[in-house]
Amino acid sequence: DVQLVESGGGSVQAGGSLRLTCAVSGYTIRAYVVGWFRQSPGNEREGVATIYTVTGSSYYADSVKGRFTISHDNAQNMVYLQMNSLNPEDTATYYCATGWFVTRWYSAAEFGSWAQGTQVTVS
């Protein structure tokens, strides 16, 4: 079975950093697209960063460019989201997800498998 397990969320003061980890089991991420999304109460789930593991190409929401970095480790089948210079607007539940054929990197509808979500709170 496909399983995505996140870790690394928590509470941090503004200006701080967190690193989220997404461990994927059941298939190799080598041929998939992996994205990080976030959702806060009353808002839609938004794309934060996505990496196409075949090419290494990555994409970011304008709100996180220069602060967040997505990376992957094919050998460990893991994807990371390094978040620096966090601000209260980054507070949300963060999800990692995988997709097979993703044309819109920011679209949650194009990702088929999801992790359970991890809370990030910035005060």
Side-chain angles (χ1 to χ4, degrees):
D1 291 343
V2 174
Q3 189 174 19
L4 284 70
V5 179
E6 295 177 5
S7 59
S11 297
V12 65
Q13 291 188 337
S17 298
L18 285 173
R19 187 194 197 204
L20 304 183
T21 297
C22 179
V24 181
S25 61
Y27 55 75
T28 176
I29 64 170
R30 190 184 304 275
Y32 283 79
V33 182
V34 186
W36 286 96
F37 293 77
R38 66 186 181 187
Q39 188 169 21
S40 54
N43 294 313
E44 294 186 356
R45 191 167 296 188
E46 64 168 340
V48 174
T50 291
I51 189 163
Y52 288 72
T53 58
V54 174
T55 63
S57 299
S58 57
Y59 300 87
Y60 297 90
D62 288 343
S63 59
V64 306
K65 278 181 182 177
R67 300 188 298 122
F68 290 13
T69 302
I70 187 171
S71 60
H72 66 106
D73 182 336
N74 285 346
Q76 298 295 325
N77 228 34
M78 299 179 92
V79 180
Y80 308 98
L81 185 68
Q82 178 67 42
M83 305 185 295
N84 299 328
S85 301
L86 285 161
N87 59 60
E89 289 70 38
D90 296 315
T91 295
T93 301
Y94 283 70
Y95 302 86
C96 69
T98 60
W100 173 243
F101 185 71
V102 175
T103 58
R104 296 175 298 171
W105 67 267
Y106 50 85
S107 173
E110 300 200 16
F111 290 77
S113 297
W114 291 81
Q116 78 285 1
T118 187
Q119 179 66 35
V120 171
T121 302
V122 185
S123 59

